[in-house]
Amino acid sequence: MQLKNSTAIITGGASGLGEAAARLFIANGARVAILDLNEAAGQALESEFPNQLKFIKTDVTSEGEVQNALEVALQTFGSIQVVVNCAGIAPASKIVGKVDGIYGPHSFELFEKTIRINLIGTFNVMRLAAFAMEKNEPNAEGERGVIINTASVAAYDGQMGQVAYAASKGGIVSMTLPVARDLAKSGIRVMAIAPGLFETPLLMGLPEEARISLGQQIPFPSRLGKPSEYALLAKSIVENPMLNGEVIRLDGAIRMAPR
Ligand SMILES: NC(=O)c1ccc[n+]([C@@H]2O[C@H](COP(=O)([O-])OP(=O)(O)OC[C@H]3O[C@@H](n4cnc5c(N)ncnc54)[C@H](O)[C@@H]3O)[C@@H](O)[C@H]2O)c1
């Protein structure tokens, strides 16, 4: 599938990895609808690309808001060929540990919230977008769409304090093959990217020393990944019709240590 003249839905696209994908997709002739909660960043992107990008304030965990956002995207751009799910949160908390100086079990609510945004949000966008994509005319290859979800290396080597995050990302990994199988007859491919450590606002909040130290743990190249490198893989997945039902680690060969 080509990006040129395609429309991509990018959740979490107001920042970090999703924003980089939006920029690269637009540079390659796509139109992009960003579904995110961050209004200021989303509107700034819309002002930068008034003809190619539409920001639609959306909570990915809401059935009604995602349904509405897809309708707005369809009205604005006509059809949807690509979905990139990047909306997510990464809280840290041990199964038993100290929170605000008090020792106790992991918060039930924090676990539930992480699963709800990262896993159920991804599922919610997939199910509604796939239903819309099934109405597309197939291209010469028989393709009607491509869905790219964002897992994490934490799905495989979750660190201490990552029980909720790792569980949510493990769920994203596990959805890849069954959803690819479900959508095969419709010509919709489903892939996931499992990033290692990337330079996004999340990590840029750390002191420079800590970022350099994290980068040095990566075998090669020994630095944090650039969001543009995530975008490059997303573009490649869109363009390569044989990529389907698989999770690709994008991590410079890092395997995370326990802490
Ligand atoms: N940066 C990394 O090193 C890294 C590594 C592995 C995986 N990831 C994953 O990549 C994805 C993007 O991460 P990032 O580093 O670009 O983070 P980021 O914080 O820069 O971007 C995440 C975006 O998601 C949005 N968001 C959060 N909750 C939402 C909701 N309920 N509905 C809609 N939007 C919501 C935020 O507003 C934000 O704009 C996440 O799923 C993250 O877990 C990142």
Side-chain angles (χ1 to χ4, degrees), residues 50-105:
N51 300 319
Q52 300 102 323
L53 188 147
K54 176 102 186 141
F55 169 69
I56 310 161
K57 189 182 179 201
T58 312
D59 182 341
V60 293
T61 68
S62 160
E63 293 187 58
E65 287 186 29
V66 173
Q67 181 69 61
N68 174 65
L70 295 181
E71 276 160 24
V72 172
L74 285 169
Q75 276 161 20
T76 312
F77 297 125
S79 56
I80 297 162
Q81 285 74 28
V82 179
V83 173
V84 180
N85 276 308
C86 275
I89 56 166
S93 187
K94 289 185 192 169
I95 188 85
V96 177
K98 249 186 195 171
V99 179
D100 298 332
I102 301 163
Y103 191 77

Side-chain angles (χ1 to χ4, degrees), residues 116-133:
R116 190 159 175 86
I117 296 175
N118 293 1
L119 179 58
I120 300 179
T122 298
F123 165 77
N124 190 30
V125 174
M126 271 205 291
R127 74 187 180 99
L128 294 168
F131 185 64
M133 283 172 166

